[in-house]
């Protein structure tokens, strides 16, 4: 392999490493704040690298805000009691998140209370 090819490979590996590291960075979330969202599930996406919930939450002005909640990988979530069928559109839930620092309507999962009263939390942020 010549030097040019080696340099290109090294740059590609460095770029991938930075990208993966940034993806898993918690700096966008305010871990010192917990926000409780009471709303209706719009979508539950059970996929890698992170599952997610789209949630409609009534706001103070009488409207509805759409919140995005990032969860962990399905593999880690299964170990804490989750299943791909646990949430469906229309389910009423209470979700606790660490919100985005930017003030946008999103956060990282802390816990959820399902309509039947079960609460799930824990290791869902890997």
């Amino acid at each position: 392999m010549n030097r040019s090819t080696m340099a290109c490979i090294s740059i590609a590996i460095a770029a991938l490493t930075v990208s993966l590291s940034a993806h898993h960075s918690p700096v966008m979330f305010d871990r010192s704040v917990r926000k409780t969202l009471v709303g209706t599930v719009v979508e539950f996406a059970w996929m890698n690298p992170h599952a997610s919930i789209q949630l409609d939450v009534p706001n103070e002005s009488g409207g509805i805000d759409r919140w995005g909640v990032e969860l962990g990988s399905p593999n880690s979530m299964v170990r804490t009691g989750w299943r791909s069928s646990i949430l469906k559109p229309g389910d009423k839930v209470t979700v606790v998140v660490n919100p985005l620092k930017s003030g946008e309507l999103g956060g990282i999962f802390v816990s959820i209370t399902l309509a039947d009263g079960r609460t799930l939390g824990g290791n869902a942020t890997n």
Side-chain angles (χ1 to χ4, degrees):
M1 229 181 272
N2 64 31
R3 282 185 161 190
S4 176
T5 302
M6 288 298 287
C8 286
I9 291 171
S10 294
I11 290 170
I13 290 171
L16 179 60
T17 301
V18 168
S19 173
L20 289 174
S21 149
H23 171 79
H24 287 92
S25 174
V27 298
M28 68 177 66
F29 303 104
D30 188 344
R31 300 281 184 153
S32 69
V33 174
R34 288 193 172 185
K35 177 140 182 88
T36 301
L37 308 171
V38 179
T40 305
V41 174
V42 174
E43 179 183 25
F44 176 48
W46 184 261
M47 65 176 71
N48 283 310
H50 298 281
S52 65
I53 302 169
Q54 295 296 312
L55 189 67
D56 277 350
V57 179
N59 60 35
E60 294 173 1
S61 62
I64 299 288
D65 291 331
R66 173 83 38 99
W67 280 77
V69 179
E70 181 179 318
L71 295 104
S73 71
N75 185 45
S76 69
M77 293 170 64
V78 164
R79 288 178 273 172
T80 61
W82 288 81
R83 299 291 178 262
S84 62
S85 60
I86 204 161
L87 292 176
K88 296 171 196 62
D91 286 353
K92 306 293 186 201
V93 295
T94 300
V95 182
V96 178
V97 300
N98 295 124
L100 288 165
K101 288 179 181 176
S102 68
E104 294 176 74
L105 301 178
I108 193 161
F109 174 81
V110 174
S111 68
I112 187 169
T113 302
L114 305 172
D116 65 8
R118 287 182 292 158
T119 297
L120 297 171
N123 185 24
T125 56
N126 292 345

